[in-house]
Amino acid sequence: MSIGGVGEGGLIEVIRSIAGLSEDNDLEYVELNGKLLTMKIDGIAITTSKMPFMNYYDMGWKVMAAIASDFLVKLSKPLFVVTSLTLRREMPMEDFRDLVRGLSEGAHYFGMKYLGGDLNEGNDYIIDAAALGIAMSGKITRSPRVGDVVVTNPNFGYTGLVFKLFYQGSLDNYMNNELVRRGIEILRRPKPNLNLLGELSRLSQCISASMDSSDGLGKVLWTLSRNGHVRIVVDELPTTQELIEGVEQMGLDIDELVFNGGEEFTPVFSIRSECLGDFERLGFKAFARVLEGDGVFYRNSLLRYRGWDYFTGWH
C-alpha cells in the first residue's frame, strides 16, 4: 500500500505511534524554565498550492499567515520564525526576491522576527517554516465539553467559492464578481487577527477546544467530535447572507463551499455557553452546539463534508 492509500490523517497516526506522541494539535507545547513555549512547523509545495492569480510574494505571505493562524487559535504569541527553502535553479531572481519579501513582510505583519534559515536545490519549490512562541494561557486541546457552543467568524465560503470555480474550470468567467474578488483577496492575503490575543487570553477559561480552519470547516468539526467523543450539531452556516444569495444565483451548493472550503485561516473555538456574549463582542458568532453522543450533524443528517486531506484530497 502507498501512502496515498492511507491519507494524511492515517499518516499522522503512524508518526504519533512511532514517535510516542500522545495527541495531535495545531501547536506543540514545551515547558521550559517555568514558561510554556509553543512550536509550529508548516510548509507548502508551490506546484500544488500556487493558484494562477497568486505570485511568489503571496506564497511567502501565506506561509506566515498559516503559522500565525495556528498560534492564534491556541492563544499563543509567535516570536521567531525560520524557513527552509527548496528551489529549482532556473527560478528567476525577481521571483526569489518576491518570495523572500513575502516571507519577511508577512512575518513582520504578524509580529514575528524572521531569522532566515536554510536553502536547498531540488525539483520543486518547497517552503517550510518553523516558529517559536509563548503561550498566553494554558494548554488548549481539541476536545470540546458537552454543553459548549462552537463559535467562529461568520465569513466562511468565500475561499470555497474560488476553489469550486477554479476546479470546475470557470473561474475566469467570474473574475469581476465581487464575491469571487473577496475570496481571491482572502487567499492572496490571509490576515488572522493576532490583535485579539490579549482579549482572548483573558477569556481562556471559557475555551475547552480550538482549531484553525485551514483544511476546511468540515474537517474541524469532525476532528473536534472525534477527539472530544461528542456530538456536534450545526444550527446555521457561519457565513453571510450576501454570499448565500450570490452562490444561489450561480447555481452552486453553499453548504459545500462553507464546509469544504479551506484556507480561511479562521479560528474555531468551543466555549462555555455563558461566555458567548464576550466572544460576540469580539466578532465571533455561535453556529453549533456540543452534545452527548458522537458525529457531526447538520439539518438532521450526518455532515457529509470532511475537509481536505493530503494524499486523498477533498472528501
Side-chain angles (χ1 to χ4, degrees), residues 137-183:
S137 65
K139 185 176 181 180
I140 301 175
T141 70
R142 292 178 168 183
S143 299
R145 295 174 293 234
V146 172
D148 278 0
V149 293
V150 185
V151 303
T152 191
N153 301 116
N155 291 297
F156 279 83
Y158 289 91
T159 62
L161 172 60
V162 176
F163 286 134
K164 182 66 175 180
L165 294 174
F166 174 74
Y167 287 114
Q168 70 179 23
S170 58
L171 180 60
D172 287 346
N173 300 330
Y174 291 91
M175 291 300 286
N176 292 323
N177 180 284
E178 186 58 34
L179 301 176
V180 172
R181 290 163 66 93
R182 181 172 176 183

Side-chain angles (χ1 to χ4, degrees), residues 114-132:
Y114 178 39
L115 302 177
D118 182 39
L119 190 62
N120 306 282
E121 181 183 352
N123 293 323
D124 198 351
Y125 298 94
I126 308 293
I127 310 170
D128 293 305
L132 176 68

